mmCIF file of all heavy atoms in Angstrom:
data_model
loop_
_atom_site.group_PDB
_atom_site.id
_atom_site.type_symbol
_atom_site.label_atom_id
_atom_site.label_comp_id
_atom_site.label_asym_id
_atom_site.label_seq_id
_atom_site.Cartn_x
_atom_site.Cartn_y
_atom_site.Cartn_z
ATOM 1 N N PHE A 245 19.458 4.863 71.085
ATOM 2 C CA PHE A 245 19.969 5.035 72.445
ATOM 3 C C PHE A 245 21.498 5.095 72.450
ATOM 4 O O PHE A 245 22.096 5.945 73.107
ATOM 5 C CB PHE A 245 19.492 3.910 73.358
ATOM 6 C CG PHE A 245 18.115 4.155 73.887
ATOM 7 C CD1 PHE A 245 17.050 3.351 73.530
ATOM 8 C CD2 PHE A 245 17.884 5.223 74.751
ATOM 9 C CE1 PHE A 245 15.778 3.594 74.007
ATOM 10 C CE2 PHE A 245 16.612 5.482 75.236
ATOM 11 C CZ PHE A 245 15.552 4.657 74.852
ATOM 12 N N ALA A 246 22.114 4.172 71.707
ATOM 13 C CA ALA A 246 23.576 4.095 71.729
ATOM 14 C C ALA A 246 24.192 5.395 71.216
ATOM 15 O O ALA A 246 25.152 5.913 71.789
ATOM 16 C CB ALA A 246 24.044 2.919 70.881
ATOM 17 N N VAL A 247 23.606 5.951 70.137
ATOM 18 C CA VAL A 247 24.139 7.200 69.590
ATOM 19 C C VAL A 247 23.997 8.312 70.607
ATOM 20 O O VAL A 247 24.885 9.141 70.782
ATOM 21 C CB VAL A 247 23.395 7.557 68.283
ATOM 22 C CG1 VAL A 247 23.709 8.978 67.867
ATOM 23 C CG2 VAL A 247 23.774 6.598 67.185
ATOM 24 N N ASN A 248 22.866 8.305 71.290
ATOM 25 C CA ASN A 248 22.615 9.408 72.213
ATOM 26 C C ASN A 248 23.391 9.306 73.518
ATOM 27 O O ASN A 248 23.752 10.322 74.096
ATOM 28 C CB ASN A 248 21.118 9.539 72.493
ATOM 29 C CG ASN A 248 20.445 10.285 71.377
ATOM 30 O OD1 ASN A 248 20.739 11.444 71.155
ATOM 31 N ND2 ASN A 248 19.582 9.598 70.632
ATOM 32 N N ILE A 249 23.642 8.051 73.970
ATOM 33 C CA ILE A 249 24.421 7.909 75.210
ATOM 34 C C ILE A 249 25.760 8.611 75.042
ATOM 35 O O ILE A 249 26.239 9.302 75.925
ATOM 36 C CB ILE A 249 24.642 6.411 75.545
ATOM 37 C CG1 ILE A 249 23.362 5.822 76.105
ATOM 38 C CG2 ILE A 249 25.779 6.248 76.552
ATOM 39 C CD1 ILE A 249 23.422 4.334 76.297
ATOM 40 N N LYS A 250 26.328 8.480 73.850
ATOM 41 C CA LYS A 250 27.669 8.997 73.619
ATOM 42 C C LYS A 250 27.755 10.505 73.818
ATOM 43 O O LYS A 250 28.784 11.028 74.199
ATOM 44 C CB LYS A 250 28.110 8.633 72.197
ATOM 45 C CG LYS A 250 29.607 8.621 72.078
ATOM 46 C CD LYS A 250 30.084 8.142 70.752
ATOM 47 C CE LYS A 250 31.591 8.370 70.707
ATOM 48 N NZ LYS A 250 32.188 7.918 69.484
ATOM 49 N N ARG A 251 26.689 11.215 73.547
ATOM 50 C CA ARG A 251 26.795 12.674 73.645
ATOM 51 C C ARG A 251 26.134 13.237 74.904
ATOM 52 O O ARG A 251 25.841 14.414 74.984
ATOM 53 C CB ARG A 251 26.224 13.323 72.386
ATOM 54 C CG ARG A 251 24.810 12.938 72.092
ATOM 55 C CD ARG A 251 24.398 13.366 70.699
ATOM 56 N NE ARG A 251 22.960 13.256 70.568
ATOM 57 C CZ ARG A 251 22.165 14.256 70.198
ATOM 58 N NH1 ARG A 251 22.664 15.414 69.913
ATOM 59 N NH2 ARG A 251 20.881 14.076 70.113
ATOM 60 N N THR A 252 25.868 12.343 75.856
ATOM 61 C CA THR A 252 25.337 12.843 77.121
ATOM 62 C C THR A 252 26.471 13.000 78.122
ATOM 63 O O THR A 252 27.602 12.613 77.864
ATOM 64 C CB THR A 252 24.325 11.872 77.727
ATOM 65 O OG1 THR A 252 24.986 10.619 77.907
ATOM 66 C CG2 THR A 252 23.123 11.690 76.851
ATOM 67 N N ARG A 253 26.127 13.538 79.273
ATOM 68 C CA ARG A 253 27.069 13.659 80.372
ATOM 69 C C ARG A 253 27.630 12.284 80.718
ATOM 70 O O ARG A 253 28.831 12.113 80.908
ATOM 71 C CB ARG A 253 26.295 14.235 81.571
ATOM 72 C CG ARG A 253 27.135 14.511 82.769
ATOM 73 C CD ARG A 253 26.214 14.883 83.935
ATOM 74 N NE ARG A 253 26.988 15.002 85.158
ATOM 75 C CZ ARG A 253 27.551 16.132 85.537
ATOM 76 N NH1 ARG A 253 27.430 17.196 84.808
ATOM 77 N NH2 ARG A 253 28.254 16.177 86.660
ATOM 78 N N THR A 254 26.718 11.271 80.759
ATOM 79 C CA THR A 254 27.160 9.913 81.064
ATOM 80 C C THR A 254 28.183 9.439 80.042
ATOM 81 O O THR A 254 29.227 8.902 80.404
ATOM 82 C CB THR A 254 25.956 8.955 81.058
ATOM 83 O OG1 THR A 254 24.929 9.526 81.854
ATOM 84 C CG2 THR A 254 26.329 7.604 81.580
ATOM 85 N N GLY A 255 27.884 9.665 78.773
ATOM 86 C CA GLY A 255 28.779 9.218 77.717
ATOM 87 C C GLY A 255 30.154 9.851 77.844
ATOM 88 O O GLY A 255 31.180 9.188 77.694
ATOM 89 N N ARG A 256 30.165 11.143 78.132
ATOM 90 C CA ARG A 256 31.449 11.830 78.264
ATOM 91 C C ARG A 256 32.207 11.309 79.480
ATOM 92 O O ARG A 256 33.429 11.148 79.444
ATOM 93 C CB ARG A 256 31.241 13.346 78.355
ATOM 94 C CG ARG A 256 30.843 13.970 77.045
ATOM 95 C CD ARG A 256 30.886 15.481 77.121
ATOM 96 N NE ARG A 256 29.887 16.016 78.047
ATOM 97 C CZ ARG A 256 28.636 16.300 77.705
ATOM 98 N NH1 ARG A 256 28.247 16.114 76.465
ATOM 99 N NH2 ARG A 256 27.786 16.778 78.585
ATOM 100 N N ALA A 257 31.453 11.010 80.566
ATOM 101 C CA ALA A 257 32.092 10.470 81.764
ATOM 102 C C ALA A 257 32.723 9.121 81.444
ATOM 103 O O ALA A 257 33.865 8.842 81.839
ATOM 104 C CB ALA A 257 31.068 10.334 82.889
ATOM 105 N N LEU A 258 31.992 8.275 80.711
ATOM 106 C CA LEU A 258 32.527 6.950 80.371
ATOM 107 C C LEU A 258 33.795 7.084 79.546
ATOM 108 O O LEU A 258 34.779 6.374 79.777
ATOM 109 C CB LEU A 258 31.484 6.146 79.593
ATOM 110 C CG LEU A 258 30.201 5.786 80.342
ATOM 111 C CD1 LEU A 258 29.294 4.950 79.468
ATOM 112 C CD2 LEU A 258 30.510 5.062 81.637
ATOM 113 N N GLN A 259 33.783 8.017 78.599
ATOM 114 C CA GLN A 259 34.971 8.184 77.763
ATOM 115 C C GLN A 259 36.147 8.732 78.561
ATOM 116 O O GLN A 259 37.305 8.390 78.304
ATOM 117 C CB GLN A 259 34.657 9.093 76.575
ATOM 118 C CG GLN A 259 33.736 8.406 75.595
ATOM 119 C CD GLN A 259 33.220 9.343 74.525
ATOM 120 O OE1 GLN A 259 33.948 9.790 73.673
ATOM 121 N NE2 GLN A 259 31.932 9.642 74.587
ATOM 122 N N ALA A 260 35.842 9.560 79.553
ATOM 123 C CA ALA A 260 36.914 10.076 80.407
ATOM 124 C C ALA A 260 37.544 8.931 81.182
ATOM 125 O O ALA A 260 38.766 8.849 81.328
ATOM 126 C CB ALA A 260 36.365 11.133 81.356
ATOM 127 N N ILE A 261 36.692 8.007 81.673
ATOM 128 C CA ILE A 261 37.204 6.855 82.418
ATOM 129 C C ILE A 261 38.055 5.984 81.500
ATOM 130 O O ILE A 261 39.110 5.489 81.887
ATOM 131 C CB ILE A 261 36.041 6.050 83.026
ATOM 132 C CG1 ILE A 261 35.431 6.838 84.179
ATOM 133 C CG2 ILE A 261 36.519 4.682 83.489
ATOM 134 C CD1 ILE A 261 34.176 6.240 84.746
ATOM 135 N N ARG A 262 37.614 5.804 80.262
ATOM 136 C CA ARG A 262 38.381 5.004 79.321
ATOM 137 C C ARG A 262 39.772 5.602 79.109
ATOM 138 O O ARG A 262 40.773 4.912 79.161
ATOM 139 C CB ARG A 262 37.651 4.948 77.972
ATOM 140 C CG ARG A 262 38.502 4.314 76.862
ATOM 141 C CD ARG A 262 37.862 4.512 75.516
ATOM 142 N NE ARG A 262 37.835 5.936 75.169
ATOM 143 C CZ ARG A 262 37.108 6.429 74.186
ATOM 144 N NH1 ARG A 262 36.324 5.650 73.485
ATOM 145 N NH2 ARG A 262 37.146 7.719 73.914
ATOM 146 N N ASP A 263 39.804 6.921 78.914
ATOM 147 C CA ASP A 263 41.081 7.527 78.567
ATOM 148 C C ASP A 263 42.048 7.531 79.732
ATOM 149 O O ASP A 263 43.248 7.371 79.542
ATOM 150 C CB ASP A 263 40.849 8.945 78.031
ATOM 151 C CG ASP A 263 40.105 8.906 76.710
ATOM 152 O OD1 ASP A 263 40.117 7.821 76.082
ATOM 153 O OD2 ASP A 263 39.509 9.915 76.307
ATOM 154 N N ARG A 264 41.561 7.732 80.928
ATOM 155 C CA ARG A 264 42.416 7.629 82.118
ATOM 156 C C ARG A 264 41.520 7.707 83.335
ATOM 157 O O ARG A 264 41.022 8.790 83.667
ATOM 158 C CB ARG A 264 43.442 8.771 82.146
ATOM 159 C CG ARG A 264 44.570 8.509 83.108
ATOM 160 C CD ARG A 264 45.703 7.712 82.457
ATOM 161 N NE ARG A 264 46.731 7.371 83.421
ATOM 162 C CZ ARG A 264 46.794 6.195 84.061
ATOM 163 N NH1 ARG A 264 45.874 5.285 83.835
ATOM 164 N NH2 ARG A 264 47.764 5.947 84.908
ATOM 165 N N ASP A 265 41.326 6.559 83.975
ATOM 166 C CA ASP A 265 40.335 6.554 85.060
ATOM 167 C C ASP A 265 40.738 7.435 86.235
ATOM 168 O O ASP A 265 39.901 8.089 86.845
ATOM 169 C CB ASP A 265 40.020 5.122 85.525
ATOM 170 C CG ASP A 265 41.268 4.311 85.787
ATOM 171 O OD1 ASP A 265 42.376 4.851 85.591
ATOM 172 O OD2 ASP A 265 41.143 3.143 86.193
ATOM 173 N N ILE A 266 42.042 7.483 86.524
ATOM 174 C CA ILE A 266 42.464 8.296 87.671
ATOM 175 C C ILE A 266 42.231 9.773 87.380
ATOM 176 O O ILE A 266 41.686 10.518 88.197
ATOM 177 C CB ILE A 266 43.946 8.026 87.998
ATOM 178 C CG1 ILE A 266 44.109 6.569 88.435
ATOM 179 C CG2 ILE A 266 44.435 8.963 89.102
ATOM 180 C CD1 ILE A 266 45.533 6.120 88.599
ATOM 181 N N ALA A 267 42.613 10.181 86.177
ATOM 182 C CA ALA A 267 42.402 11.577 85.784
ATOM 183 C C ALA A 267 40.919 11.921 85.816
ATOM 184 O O ALA A 267 40.519 12.993 86.276
ATOM 185 C CB ALA A 267 42.964 11.821 84.389
ATOM 186 N N ALA A 268 40.093 10.975 85.358
ATOM 187 C CA ALA A 268 38.644 11.212 85.348
ATOM 188 C C ALA A 268 38.137 11.427 86.764
ATOM 189 O O ALA A 268 37.368 12.344 87.035
ATOM 190 C CB ALA A 268 37.937 10.035 84.690
ATOM 191 N N GLU A 269 38.618 10.574 87.675
ATOM 192 C CA GLU A 269 38.178 10.672 89.070
ATOM 193 C C GLU A 269 38.588 12.028 89.648
ATOM 194 O O GLU A 269 37.822 12.674 90.361
ATOM 195 C CB GLU A 269 38.816 9.537 89.878
ATOM 196 C CG GLU A 269 38.410 9.544 91.340
ATOM 197 C CD GLU A 269 37.610 8.308 91.700
ATOM 198 O OE1 GLU A 269 38.143 7.220 91.482
ATOM 199 O OE2 GLU A 269 36.479 8.449 92.172
ATOM 200 N N VAL A 270 39.803 12.464 89.323
ATOM 201 C CA VAL A 270 40.287 13.746 89.824
ATOM 202 C C VAL A 270 39.403 14.885 89.319
ATOM 203 O O VAL A 270 39.132 15.850 90.025
ATOM 204 C CB VAL A 270 41.756 13.965 89.387
ATOM 205 C CG1 VAL A 270 42.184 15.399 89.675
ATOM 206 C CG2 VAL A 270 42.671 12.990 90.098
ATOM 207 N N MET A 271 38.910 14.739 88.071
ATOM 208 C CA MET A 271 38.063 15.795 87.512
ATOM 209 C C MET A 271 36.638 15.726 88.052
ATOM 210 O O MET A 271 35.794 16.523 87.656
ATOM 211 C CB MET A 271 38.017 15.686 85.997
ATOM 212 C CG MET A 271 39.330 16.032 85.352
ATOM 213 S SD MET A 271 39.164 16.288 83.595
ATOM 214 C CE MET A 271 38.362 14.825 83.075
ATOM 215 N N GLY A 272 36.362 14.765 88.902
ATOM 216 C CA GLY A 272 35.041 14.717 89.507
ATOM 217 C C GLY A 272 34.106 13.714 88.871
ATOM 218 O O GLY A 272 32.903 13.738 89.131
#
Side-chain angles (χ1 to χ4, degrees):
Chain A
F245 277 114
V247 168
N248 279 296
I249 284 173
K250 203 174 172 179
R251 56 192 193 125
T252 58
R253 184 188 173 89
T254 311
R256 287 190 294 273
L258 295 182
Q259 290 171 69
I261 288 173
R262 171 191 65 194
D263 294 341
R264 196 87 185 96
D265 49 359
I266 296 172
E269 181 115 57
V270 169
M271 291 194 307

